[in-house]
Amino acid sequence: MRVKVKMFAAARDATGASEVVVELPELARVRDLRIALESEYPQLAPLLSRAMFAINTHYADEDTPVPLAGEIACIPPVSGG
Amino acid sequence: MIQLTTFPIDSDALVRQAQVPASGAVLLFLGVTRQHTSGRETAELRYDAYHEMAEKELAALEEKARQKWHLNECLIVHRLGKVPLGEASVAIVVASPHRHAAFAAGEWLIDTLKMSVPIWKEEHWADGSSDWIHPEHDVKHSQATSTNK
């Protein structure tokens, strides 16, 4: 399955896009998404290891299933305030 | 009340909104663009957000703070886009009958906001270079949203 992943801040700069598309196995979980992104965008690796993912605007765990349809976002360490 | 805005934050208006006879304590915190960081000079900051998620996380922080402390008012405003030196990127106003709750809630709100709300700052240095800031901390779930799944 192919899913879109939103990119922000240094992750957006590293991939050159505010949204990227990755190919995932069926029934993929967040940990699979992390691996797929790292292999597609090696330059993202240092940030990916410290990033969280959000699914439909809620923080996800490594075990959270990646939905076929839904909003998926890569959340690098935040620095608001 | 929570708000994301690209305009300068009117902290006087926020304090006026919170200052009512029921509240013996009104606390204002401003996070301000600082000129020097570890010996480097900043020209300005720019803030970006995952807008809809940031709004939900901020609303969850307000809800959580209101559960933890007796607050008559809880206002959180974060500015996005360019924030020049000396101007506020974030304002938090809390009002409570007594000061201890206001101080505790204000500190918890800014500390937790910095850990969990998907907003990022980009340092634009005086020498013309720029860096996104991604601190060496793990992004924390705010409990109010993680129970929401």
Side-chain angles (χ1 to χ4, degrees):
Chain A
M1 64 185 197
R2 290 163 72 78
V3 297
K4 293 181 193 166
V5 185
K6 287 177 179 291
M7 291 285 154
F8 296 95
R12 184 175 52 212
D13 287 358
T15 56
S18 58
E19 195 169 82
V20 302
V21 177
V22 281
E23 185 71 39
L24 292 178
E26 297 301 317
L27 306 177
R29 293 173 187 271
V30 164
R31 69 166 58 83
D32 306 307
L33 171 61
R34 205 182 280 279
I35 292 164
L37 278 171
E38 190 170 331
S39 107
E40 192 77 18
Y41 300 96
Q43 71 276 24
L44 200 57
L47 206 51
L48 261 183
S49 63
R50 301 165 49 213
M52 296 284 293
F53 286 87
I55 292 173
N56 295 324
T57 71
H58 293 290
Y59 283 116
D61 299 322
E62 294 303 286
D63 288 334
T64 306
V66 178
L68 259 175
E71 195 166 288
I72 302 163
C74 174
I75 312 284
V78 301
S79 53
Chain B
M1 184 279 289
I2 63 99
Q3 188 187 19
L4 296 174
T5 178
T6 55
F7 295 104
I9 296 172
D10 185 351
S11 54
D12 291 347
L14 296 175
V15 170
R16 268 199 307 278
Q17 184 178 336
Q19 192 170 344
V20 297
S23 295
V26 178
L27 187 101
L28 165 69
F29 172 82
L30 294 178
V32 170
T33 300
R34 184 176 54 229
Q35 188 166 17
H36 293 102
T37 296
S38 308
R40 291 190 79 183
E41 186 175 355
T42 297
E44 66 181 19
L45 296 177
R46 291 186 202 175
Y47 285 86
D48 189 20
Y50 179 10
H51 210 281
E52 28 179 341
M53 183 171 171
E55 284 184 337
K56 286 185 185 174
E57 286 288 322
L58 287 172
L61 287 187
E62 177 187 348
E63 192 186 327
K64 194 80 198 294
R66 287 179 182 276
Q67 285 167 8
K68 283 167 78 90
W69 294 281
H70 179 182
L71 303 179
N72 293 325
E73 192 55 278
C74 178
L75 309 170
I76 314 171
V77 181
H78 204 299
R79 189 169 167 187
L80 301 176
K82 289 184 192 180
V83 182
L85 291 182
E87 295 190 17
S89 54
V90 62
I92 293 173
V93 174
V94 285
S96 59
H98 301 283
R99 70 184 182 282
H100 293 298
F103 276 115
E107 183 169 33
W108 181 84
L109 281 165
I110 185 61
D111 288 352
T112 312
L113 180 155
K114 282 169 144 325
M115 302 288 274
S116 71
V117 180
I119 296 175
W120 298 271
K121 87 179 66 163
E122 190 179 35
E123 283 271 7
H124 286 252
W125 305 104
D127 65 11
S129 63
S130 64
D131 292 304
W132 284 108
I133 306 303
H134 293 300
E136 295 286 337
H137 64 64
D138 296 326
V139 178
K140 260 196 188 163
H141 299 214
S142 79
Q143 291 182 1
T145 49
S146 55
T147 54
N148 245 342
K149 270 185 213 160

